[in-house]
């Protein structure tokens, strides 16, 4: 699936009228996200970045085929797919545990889109496209953990939730996939995949929770 | 209350949904109405240790069999349903 | 003398004399200092009368210096931020604080309702039950309003709270409640072990009783030791010290509730900050070092302003440098109370007398008395003289029978100490009685919890430190931490000797529960009337049921009860302890979830486009759905909806149906799996085709419906109703994991992946041709009714196209990846412009489905069978499926069942209303003749009249029969005709066309 805007215009066959339309791609946070500072002034304690336009595939092992699925993943990503709640960084994808014998493949640019993955996992796993089903928010900053404590019941202490830890959990009664990416500038980075139709609502809840610490908001096309 | 999901680890109650007694087994297709009636309607309501179905819907979506003392809420065992995950052939 | 801090001592205290704070109480201006509570500032200003009592409107002062306070409750702040029943003893003073006394009218000094005292005999225990029983209707009209005016506490603001609250989770190895000597020692030991520690202190300063009572620890003055301990703890990264935070409850699995008063000490929270935060603390272990509460002795006039707990007097004098009185009498039954005499003398105050109920007084105290020049009277206080101005004279019954009188303006009372057993008893724990201290102490605790120090009945300073340190070390060890705990802090243990004394018999009112105005004679009366169990005593007299939960009254009440019933106190027993330990604002429990954030909302992919179009949205579960799209000039919703329906039936329209639940069903056994969850077969469905499916619950009742398409041999795309989406997913996972684990099938929710639009109307194909690649064949042959397959759109985007119809028109549903949903809505508008394309909302959707007789939520109501819905023939007899056997039961297949039928008023101009009951013509309306009801109604533009669906007994056999629609709610009765539920195009030619 292409993930960029497809400008398109057509001239109607029979009539003389000209219809013009384009396939603008819009993130579910397109309206709610306003880049810049938010909340308390001064040095921002929380940094929120929405990652645009990614490919996300759900890979679920078929009955009794978990081993074959892991082998297929190894062949494709040269990495061991997570068999416990962890996020594994491969060269050009992140494999995030999403439940028993299943994981998500997060990548960019169509290289590991569902179509690209199909052949490798044929027979060992069922694939389901989730690229448009989620919004991806990256949370960092001095107060990231304090802010997330208002949303998440998971213990995010570094001794418990180290780099690479992942959780299929809930925020505001809504399922989310949460994992800790590589540290950036010495600070922990927490990534959140949230359901697209809940994204705007959850975004406002996140802003409310973060406002007291001061927030800097942005978006990016790069995976964290 | 907190339940230790065999896949996710210890999680708070809000991530789980309760179904009820895990003892009754769905009768075979030809078992007859009485057997199905028992399965659907007859439930033990034990003041003590019970085996219960819980769903980790706010997490990994696994169905769990939880052994819980209904008087103290002490949970002594949690196991995954037979078909959780990809299961094993022959399971 | 009030207003000038006349009772402020010239030196000492933990107040910041360089920061004066002005505040108002009952409209008068006062000054206090940073570090004061409202109560200590009032004490410093000589204000003794701070409120009127609950029932008798008796003048009341300040009894304690902590969260156990029953009397000094005020309305704090004003306007929308007014907070009733705030304890002056814990309210931190801030610049500009405003407070008002409660339960008085027109003023605190002159209170009309104090005449209630004259009628006191009728206000005895259980008087509500006895007096206001009959006639019942008088309760609401007369008794309740009158009682509410006369009794009660503060007033709520009556307007929305402008402040924010939130909730958060915290995790640690060891949580400690209380930062007195035991709590600090526990924190030191646990933290040094390497444990993650949370230390909760309800006060705004750490130290607990050390702040008032001092002492020597490790050879250092207590204040210095506290400072060092706190500095050590603060330096450790995994220690979190939370002041202004009360641990109020313990829940299963080591979860603790705490309330942090983040900004209650400020008039208005700083921008973006919350007033209070509710914490859920998950801890492997908990040390309760919550201390003990000094208990009163019940005697006549014990509620007179100026009567104060002995320990509270020490707090005011030592911690706040505020003298509660100039000439203090002390009434004690124990050694500890004497410390107040020491304190008073050290502060340069006069001691009028010490009244000691014990036979012996230690030589040290005798010499203190002679040095201080005051008498030691063996006996007890029998009466207190003084009204709203406070204590003037104290009558003493001396041991041996003689009487004495003491002139004093303050009376300190100590009846001993009650360990704070609340937290340890919240899992139905029953504390046990200890004779040596005449108090209840914890007898076990919820798993993972242990009490230490005074909360465990250890009243000596050395013992508190020892128990706290050992408990902290053990808790950390249990949590798997094994660092070097260093040396234990040490201090001497003072002797604790006490002779129990609960109640001094007398003629005048002696209060047990001051907040609820429960007297000793109320307790005795209740016992005489047969309320023998403590639980009954509590409810009958309301003892301990006020906002203070009887912290100063429960044990005395039990003791009096025990005395009159001839049982011991442990035999009498305690009531069940329940959280919260301190009142917690509902706002804190709600946190962020209020107003528009009451629950999370879901938005469809075309939501913002629909909003631009002026759509009116309706809440459907968590969703916001476009209900209709009003146009200028339309006078009401009906006009808009009718236009939308006509536009679809006459041309083409579209509707965002992305709210339907969507599930990918994958795997070699996907078809076999669906055969077992639907009543009809899906394994036989050809690839590229869709089929309507119906699911039952195992008891045979319909669960959900929707269309499911086969996109590949091993891939089905299943849809559910909007309402049941999550539940169906849960049900299917149950079927997969629990019922049929042998099947190789995988389930994934793709509800959010696809933006799905229904495009309906005779010009649907014309519109689609503009959007879809011309190479795709949309003709009846190329894409027949119930076809389903992937198509390419112009420009290359792939979409899924389903030829299904809910409206009865020629229709397709088209799915695109959700981020293209908004573009799809815009493009449908552009491409459809020549055909008059009209967006329609859920109302028009509903009208068209009723016109077609399709069932929806009102018919799939949890009581109907497939047969009731007219879908019984779908039920396969060739396979097993969930609900099959139970659906065959006699009652579920009885011919007399209420089944779906069409309904229309015989008078075409009449509006049909849902909920109307169906009664046979010529029968009397009533339950005995009720044959069903109208489930769904709409105005049908096609028929130009109101029509509906209903569930009616034998409905299908009665087509054409005229019956009565009986609507007692609206007071309407009218004739309706039972008819074929498919009002529109019954042959289905249009949708196949
Ligand atoms: Zn789980």
């Amino acid at each position: 699936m292409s993930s960029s805007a497809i400008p398109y215009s057509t001239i109607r066959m029979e009539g003389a009228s000209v219809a013009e339309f384009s396939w603008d791609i819009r993130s579910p946070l397109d309206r709610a996200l306003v880049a810049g500072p938010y909340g308390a002034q001064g040095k921002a304690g929380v940094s929120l970045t929405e990652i645009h336009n990614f490919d996300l595939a759900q890979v679920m092992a078929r009955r009794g085929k978990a081993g074959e699925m892991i082998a297929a993943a190894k062949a494709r990503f040269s990495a061991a797919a997570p068999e416990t709640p962890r996020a594994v960084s491969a060269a050009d994808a992140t494999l995030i545990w999403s439940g028993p014998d299943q994981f998500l493949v997060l990548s960019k640019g169509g290289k590991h889109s569902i179509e690209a993955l199909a052949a490798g996992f044929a027979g060992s796993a069922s694939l389901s496209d989730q690229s448009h089903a989620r919004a991806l928010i990256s949370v960092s900053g001095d107060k990231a953990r304090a802010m997330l404590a208002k949303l998440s019941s998971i213990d995010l202490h570094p001794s418990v939730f180290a780099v690479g830890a992942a959780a299929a959990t809930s925020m505001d009664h809504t399922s989310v996939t949460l994992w800790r990416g590589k540290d950036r500038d010495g600070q922990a980075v927490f990534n959140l995949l949230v359901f697209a139709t809940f994204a705007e609502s959850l975004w406002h809840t996140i802003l409310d929770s973060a406002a007291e610490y001061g927030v800097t908001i942005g978006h990016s096309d790069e995976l964290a | 209350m907190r339940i230790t999901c065999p896949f996710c680890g210890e999680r708070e109650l809000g991530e789980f949904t309760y179904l009820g007694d895990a003892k009754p087994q769905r009768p075979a297709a030809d078992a007859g109405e009485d057997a199905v009636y028992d399965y659907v309607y007859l439930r033990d309501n034990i003041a003590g240790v019970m085996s219960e179905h819980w769903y980790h819907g706010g997490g990994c979506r696994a169905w769990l069999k939880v052994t819980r003392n209904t008087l103290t809420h002490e949970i002594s065992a949690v196991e995954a349903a037979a078909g959780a995950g990809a299961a094993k052939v022959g399971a | 003398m009030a207003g000038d801090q006349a009772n402020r001592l010239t030196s000492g205290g933990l107040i910041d004399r360089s920061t004066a704070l002005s505040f108002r109480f009952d409209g008068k201006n006062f000054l206090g200092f940073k570090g004061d509570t409202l109560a200590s500032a009032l004490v410093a200003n000589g204000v003794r009368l701070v409120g009127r009592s609950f029932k008798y409107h008796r003048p009341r002062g300040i009894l304690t210096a902590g969260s156990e306070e029953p009397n000094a409750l005020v309305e704090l702040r004003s306007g929308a931020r007014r907070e009733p029943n705030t304890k002056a003893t814990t309210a931190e003073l801030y610049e500009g604080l405003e407070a008002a006394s409660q339960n008085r009218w027109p003023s605190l000094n002159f209170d009309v309702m104090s005449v209630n005292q004259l009628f006191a005999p009728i206000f005895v225990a259980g008087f509500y039950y006895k007096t206001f029983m009959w006639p019942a209707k008088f309760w609401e009209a007369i008794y309740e309003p009158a009682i509410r005016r006369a009794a009660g506490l503060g007033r709520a603001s009556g307007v929305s709270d402008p402040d924010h609250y939130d909730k958060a989770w915290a995790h640690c190895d060891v949580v400690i409640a209380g930062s007195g000597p035991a709590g600090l020692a526990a924190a030191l030991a646990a933290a040094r072990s390497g444990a993650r520690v949370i230390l909760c202190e309800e006060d705004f300063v750490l130290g607990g009783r050390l702040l008032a009572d001092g002492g020597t620890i490790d050879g250092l003055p207590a204040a210095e030791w506290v400072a060092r301990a706190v500095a050590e703890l603060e330096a450790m990264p995994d220690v979190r010290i939370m002041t202004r935070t009360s641990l109020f409850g313990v829940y299963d699995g080591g979860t603790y509730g705490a309330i942090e008063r983040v900004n209650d000490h400020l008039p208005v929270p700083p921008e973006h900050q919350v007033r209070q935060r509710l914490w859920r603390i998950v801890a492997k272990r908990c040390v309760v070092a919550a201390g003990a509460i000094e208990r009163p002795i019940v005697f006549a006039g014990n509620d007179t302003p100026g009567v104060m707990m002995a320990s509270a007097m020490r707090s005011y004098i030592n911690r706040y440098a505020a003298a509660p009185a100039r000439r203090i009498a002390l009434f004690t039954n124990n050694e500890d109370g004497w410390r107040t005499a020491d304190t008073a003398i050290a502060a340069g105050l006069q001691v009028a007398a010490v009244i000691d109920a014990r036979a012996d007084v230690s030589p040290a105290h005798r010499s203190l008395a002679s040095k201080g020049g005051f008498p030691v009277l063996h006996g007890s206080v029998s009466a207190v003289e003084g009204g709203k101005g406070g204590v003037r004279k104290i009558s003493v019954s001396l041991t041996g029978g003689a009487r004495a009188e003491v002139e004093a303006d303050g009376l300190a009372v100590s009846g001993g100490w009650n360990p704070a057993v609340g937290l340890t008893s919240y899992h139905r724990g029953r504390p046990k009685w200890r004779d040596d201290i005449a108090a209840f102490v914890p007898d076990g605790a919820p798993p993972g919890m242990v009490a230490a120090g005074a909360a465990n009945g250890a009243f000596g300073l050395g013992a508190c430190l020892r128990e706290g340190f050992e408990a902290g070390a053990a808790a950390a060890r249990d949590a798997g931490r094994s660092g070097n705990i260093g040396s234990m802090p040490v201090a001497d243990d003072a002797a604790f000797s006490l002779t129990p004394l609960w109640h001094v018999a007398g003629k005048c009112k002696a209060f047990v529960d001051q907040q609820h105005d429960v007297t000793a004679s109320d307790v005795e009366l209740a016992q005489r009337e047969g309320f023998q169990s403590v639980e009954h005593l509590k409810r009958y007299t309301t003892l301990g049921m006020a906002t203070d939960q009887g912290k100063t009254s429960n044990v005395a009440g039990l003791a009096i009860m025990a005395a009159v019933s001839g049982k011991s106190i442990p035999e009498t027993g305690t009531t069940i302890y329940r959280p919260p330990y301190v009142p917690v604002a509902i706002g804190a429990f709600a946190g962020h979830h209020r107003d528009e954030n009451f629950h999370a909302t879901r938005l469809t992919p075309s939501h913002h486009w629909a909003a631009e179009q002026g759509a009116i949205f309706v809440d459907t579960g968590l969703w916001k759905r476009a209900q209709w799209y009003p146009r200028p000039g339309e006078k009401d919703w009906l006009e808009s909806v009718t236009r939308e329906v006509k536009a679809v039936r006459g041309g083409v329209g579209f509707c965002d149906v992305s709210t339907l639940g969507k599930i990918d069903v994958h795997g070699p056994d996907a078809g076999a799996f669906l055969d077992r969850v639907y009543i009809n077969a899906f394994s036989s469905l050809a690839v590229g085709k869709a089929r309507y499916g119906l699911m039952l619950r195992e008891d045979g009742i319909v669960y959900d419906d929707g269309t499911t398409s086969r996109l590949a041999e091993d891939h089905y795309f299943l849809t559910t109703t909007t309402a049941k989406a999550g539940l169906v997913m849960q049900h299917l996972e149950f079927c997969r994991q629990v019922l049929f684990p042998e099947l190789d099938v995988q389930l994934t929710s793709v509800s959010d992946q696809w933006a799905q639009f229904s495009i309906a109307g005779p010009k649907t194909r014309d519109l689609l041709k503009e959007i879809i690649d011309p190479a795709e064949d949309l003709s009846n042959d190329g894409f027949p009714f119930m076809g389903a397959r992937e198509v390419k759109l112009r420009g290359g985007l792939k979409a899924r196209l389903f030829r299904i119809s809910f409206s009865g028109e020629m229709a397709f549903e088209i799915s695109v990846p959700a981020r293209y949903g908004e573009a799809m809505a815009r493009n449908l508008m552009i491409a459809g412009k020549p055909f008059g394309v009209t967006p329609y909302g859920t109302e028009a959707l509903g009208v068209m489905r009723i016109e077609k007789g399709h069932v929806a939520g009102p018919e799939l109501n949890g009581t109907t069978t497939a047969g009731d819905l007219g879908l019984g023939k779908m039920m396969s007899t060739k396979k097993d499926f969930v609900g099959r056997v139970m659906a065959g039961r006699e009652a579920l297949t009885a011919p007399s069942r209420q089944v779906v039928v069409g309904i229309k008023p015989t008078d075409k101009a009449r509006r049909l209303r849902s909920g109307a009951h169906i009664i046979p013509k010529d029968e009397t309306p009533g339950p005995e003749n009720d044959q069903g009801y109208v489930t769904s109604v709409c105005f049908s533009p096609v028929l130009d009249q109101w029509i509906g669906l209903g569930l009616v007994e034998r409905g299908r056999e009665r087509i054409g029969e005229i019956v009565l629609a009986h609507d007692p709610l609206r007071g309407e009765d009218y004739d309706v005709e039972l008819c074929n539920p498919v009002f529109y195009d019954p042959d289905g030619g249009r949708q196949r066309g």
Side-chain angles (χ1 to χ4, degrees), chain A residues 60-66 85 97-102 153-154 167-170 175, chain B residues 2 7-8 11-12 15 56-62 84-91:
Chain A
M60 308 176 81
R62 292 204 163 165
R63 191 162 187 277
K65 304 281 178 66
W97 186 87
S98 60
D101 301 322
Q102 55 174 280
S153 60
I154 302 276
T169 180
S170 294
S175 289
Chain B
R2 297 174 69 78
F7 304 110
C8 301
R11 294 297 177 84
E12 64 118 355
E15 292 192 357
H56 194 192
C60 68
R61 293 194 291 113
K88 305 286 173 275
V89 177

Side-chain angles (χ1 to χ4, degrees), chain C residues 626-902:
Chain C
Q627 197 172 10
W628 67 87
Y629 296 81
R631 284 196 184 159
E634 288 176 343
K635 64 179 187 302
D636 60 10
W637 65 273
L638 186 57
E639 194 178 337
S640 306
V641 172
T642 301
R643 170 185 49 75
E644 290 172 13
V645 172
K646 284 180 170 165
V648 173
R649 297 247 186 261
V652 61
F654 70 90
C655 178
D656 189 329
V657 294
S658 309
T659 59
L660 297 177
K662 308 176 206 73
I663 299 168
D664 267 347
V665 183
H666 280 283
D669 295 331
F673 176 76
L674 292 176
D675 283 349
R676 297 195 198 180
V677 297
Y678 279 123
I679 65 171
N680 47 334
F682 277 84
S683 53
S684 58
L685 185 68
V687 172
K689 296 290 273 183
R691 182 171 285 169
Y692 174 75
L694 198 66
M695 269 177 216
L696 305 187
R697 310 190 305 218
E698 196 70 272
D699 66 0
I701 296 294
V702 171
Y703 190 54
D704 199 53
D705 70 347
T707 53
T708 287
S709 310
R710 192 167 196 172
L711 300 178
E713 198 57 39
D714 58 356
H715 180 197
Y716 290 79
F717 173 71
L718 180 154
T719 66
T720 74
T721 59
T722 299
K724 287 268 173 62
L727 289 170
V728 169
M729 186 68 193
Q730 176 178 334
H731 171 69
L732 294 182
E733 286 288 9
F734 184 77
C735 293
R736 184 184 84 86
Q737 298 179 36
V738 179
L739 300 185
F740 314 123
E742 69 279 9
L743 296 182
D744 187 0
V745 59
Q746 291 78 42
L747 303 170
T748 316
S749 168
V750 287
S751 293
D752 286 40
Q753 167 69 13
W754 299 99
Q756 191 148 327
F757 294 86
S758 169
I759 302 159
K763 294 182 182 162
T764 295
R765 271 205 199 92
D766 299 325
L767 187 157
L768 284 178
K769 278 179 188 157
E770 299 296 316
I771 298 266
I772 292 174
D773 192 299
E776 303 282 356
D777 181 0
L778 300 182
S779 72
N780 255 348
D781 291 339
F783 215 119
F785 188 59
M786 299 310 269
R789 67 159 194 262
E790 192 173 89
V791 295
K792 212 157 74 180
L793 303 186
R794 289 181 190 254
L797 188 65
K798 282 185 207 156
R800 288 177 182 173
L801 193 64
F802 309 89
R803 192 162 160 206
I804 49 183
S805 177
F806 199 45
S807 59
E809 297 299 334
M810 160 73 203
F812 283 86
E813 285 187 12
I814 188 163
S815 290
V816 289
R819 284 178 205 170
Y820 294 111
E822 190 172 324
M824 177 56 100
R826 291 182 191 285
N827 291 342
L828 287 170
M829 289 298 277
I830 294 167
K833 202 165 178 218
F835 317 110
V837 70
T838 300
Y840 64 95
T842 54
E843 285 297 323
L845 186 83
V847 170
M848 291 187 278
R849 73 101 184 159
I850 294 169
E851 287 179 334
K852 278 299 287 179
H854 289 310
V855 292
E859 291 80 35
L860 274 66
N861 64 4
T863 69
T864 47
T865 64
D868 297 345
L869 303 179
L871 304 170
K873 289 204 183 93
M874 282 171 60
M875 221 175 314
S876 169
T877 52
K878 296 190 192 124
K879 60 171 182 122
D880 188 29
F881 56 86
V882 172
R884 176 185 60 94
V885 176
M886 291 288 96
R889 282 179 294 168
E890 197 179 333
L892 268 62
T893 52
S896 60
R897 285 187 67 84
Q898 299 181 353
V899 300
V900 169
V901 67

Side-chain angles (χ1 to χ4, degrees), chain C residues 102-143:
Chain C
Q102 301 187 156
N103 206 22
R104 81 306 191 257
W105 186 83
S107 77
L108 187 55
N109 267 309
F110 177 75
D111 178 55
V112 170
M113 291 298 177
S114 58
V115 296
N116 277 3
Q117 289 193 66
L118 304 177
F119 301 113
I122 70 159
F123 280 86
V124 293
F127 94 107
Y128 295 107
Y129 306 118
K130 289 167 179 164
T131 315
F132 298 114
M133 288 299 288
W134 303 98
K137 67 177 175 192
F138 272 35
W139 176 255
E140 262 180 50
I142 294 170
Y143 298 142

Side-chain angles (χ1 to χ4, degrees), chain C residues 316-399:
Chain C
Y316 289 113
I317 295 168
N318 288 334
R319 177 174 170 183
Y320 301 106
R326 290 288 163 186
R327 189 176 153 78
I328 297 169
L330 167 68
F331 178 23
T332 184
N333 67 345
N334 66 84
E335 198 69 8
D336 187 70
W338 273 85
R339 295 213 261 176
T340 302
D342 288 301
T343 294
I345 290 167
L349 302 170
Q350 254 190 311
V351 175
V354 171
I355 303 132
D356 197 321
R358 298 173 299 168
D360 288 317
V361 168
S362 70
H365 288 146
R366 293 225 168 268
S367 83
L368 178 76
S370 62
K371 229 169 37 195
F374 59 84
V376 178
L377 308 174
H378 291 282
S380 51
V381 173
S382 55
V384 177
E385 212 173 284
K388 63 195 184 197
V391 175
R392 285 192 305 272
K393 196 186 282 180
I394 296 148
S395 303
V396 181
S397 304
L398 298 171
T399 314

